[in-house]
Amino acid sequence: MGRAGLSFAKITFSPSPKLWLATLGYALSGGILGGITLPVASHHFITSDSLRLVNLLLSPVAAGLLMVAFGTWRTRRGEASFSIDKFLFEYIFALSLALRRYKFAA
């Protein structure tokens, strides 16, 4: 498990990771982090079922756009760009985290 985590960290900070491997890594990481948050915040913050569904659909898009903006800002400052700065990777990460919480939070 530790070796897999180190490999994923290397992919995360690689400027051009393998697409399928990075996508899988971000999906797994988001799902794991979503599971870790359940004992800390076991209830839904939004009580309406329809608003929770809207949140499930819009939050990953917002997270992806925010990370693209952050990556652009970092690039303009001459700093390194990471794979998480790409919309797809952040979207997959945030969606898997949100799906885990949507499904298992009380």
Side-chain angles (χ1 to χ4, degrees):
M1 188 74 165
R3 186 175 292 187
L6 290 175
S7 296
F8 178 68
K10 188 187 299 183
I11 291 168
T12 301
F13 296 107
S14 168
S16 58
K18 293 182 180 175
L19 182 62
W20 69 270
L21 189 58
T23 303
L24 178 64
Y26 283 114
L28 289 172
S29 296
I32 290 168
L33 188 61
I36 290 171
T37 65
L38 289 172
V40 176
S42 61
H43 64 283
H44 290 288
F45 297 115
I46 300 172
T47 56
S48 167
D49 288 338
S50 57
L51 289 179
R52 277 200 319 253
L53 186 59
V54 169
N55 183 50
L56 175 66
L57 298 173
L58 294 182
S59 290
V61 172
L65 292 173
L66 185 63
M67 284 306 293
V68 167
F70 189 61
T72 303
W73 174 76
R74 221 179 2 228
T75 302
R76 286 185 186 155
R77 293 184 49 175
E79 297 177 15
S81 177
F82 302 116
S83 61
I84 191 76
D85 294 337
K86 294 177 178 48
F87 177 82
L88 173 68
F89 296 141
E90 179 58 32
Y91 175 79
I92 294 294
F93 175 82
L95 181 63
S96 61
L97 189 150
L99 279 170
R100 183 77 177 255
R101 288 207 42 84
Y102 182 81
K103 177 72 176 164
F104 294 108

